[in-house]
Amino acid sequence: MKKLIMICCVFFAVSCSVNNEDDLNKFEIQKLYRLYVDDFIANDFEGIASYFIVPVDLKSFDKIALTNEEVISFFEELKANIQEGYAYSVIDAISVTNIKVGSYLLCADYSRYNNNDELLFQGRTHYVYIDTVDGWKINSLEPKDRAENSPCM
């Protein structure tokens, strides 16, 4: 009976540590995403590129960035063609889901505003984060439709 209780305790401890690791990964990925958004607002294109690992699959843009320079160029072009009057973004919702070992999907709902705090745009983007020797990095991004009653998943 003592062995059975001990085995149950070990399985419980292991399952708790797995959940804690998963929670820590999700927390770290959300933190990195918020820093990425700060760099996006500041037009720090080298900073933005530091959150990615190449090659980056830029889904819906029919592009794969093979170098950091291509990631920088992509964001320079994206920001040059963003909504007129854009001043800043606000994160409306974030969800992070483990999709396989070493890989998470971050879904972000965001709003873009001008200097008068007027709403210019609302969007949703999916980012795939992968575990690298340099920490969690974005491997792909894909804009998605943001339906009013559809939670970020």
Side-chain angles (χ1 to χ4, degrees), residues 6-16:
M6 187 67 127
I7 289 171
C8 288
C9 287
V10 169
F11 280 120
F12 177 75
V14 168
S15 69
C16 285

Side-chain angles (χ1 to χ4, degrees), residues 3-120:
K3 284 185 179 181
L4 180 60
I5 292 172
M6 187 67 127
I7 289 171
C8 288
C9 287
V10 169
F11 280 120
F12 177 75
V14 168
S15 69
C16 285
S17 69
V18 169
N19 287 338
N20 287 337
E21 182 180 343
D22 187 54
D23 289 343
L24 289 172
N25 290 340
K26 290 177 179 180
F27 178 80
E28 179 67 17
I29 289 167
Q30 283 192 35
K31 181 181 83 171
L32 291 168
Y33 175 74
R34 291 176 190 282
L35 292 170
Y36 155 81
V37 171
D38 289 345
D39 285 345
F40 184 88
I41 294 167
N43 292 325
D44 182 353
F45 300 112
E46 288 185 21
I48 291 169
S50 73
Y51 296 100
F52 289 82
I53 186 163
V54 293
V56 179
D57 189 353
L58 303 166
K59 299 177 186 266
S60 301
F61 297 100
D62 294 325
K63 190 175 216 169
I64 295 178
L66 300 174
T67 65
N68 277 352
E69 291 74 23
E70 289 179 0
V71 173
I72 290 169
S73 294
F74 170 78
F75 279 98
E76 287 174 338
E77 184 177 325
L78 181 73
K79 287 292 294 268
N81 294 302
I82 205 165
Q83 292 78 23
E84 186 175 337
Y86 171 80
Y88 65 95
S89 299
V90 172
I91 301 167
D92 300 320
I94 298 176
S95 70
V96 181
T97 307
N98 187 322
I99 52 179
K100 64 181 179 180
V101 174
S103 185
Y104 285 81
L105 173 68
L106 181 141
C107 175
D109 283 351
Y110 55 90
S111 298
R112 293 179 180 156
Y113 294 88
N114 64 18
N115 283 323
N116 296 324
D117 301 323
E118 297 167 329
L119 180 66
L120 300 175

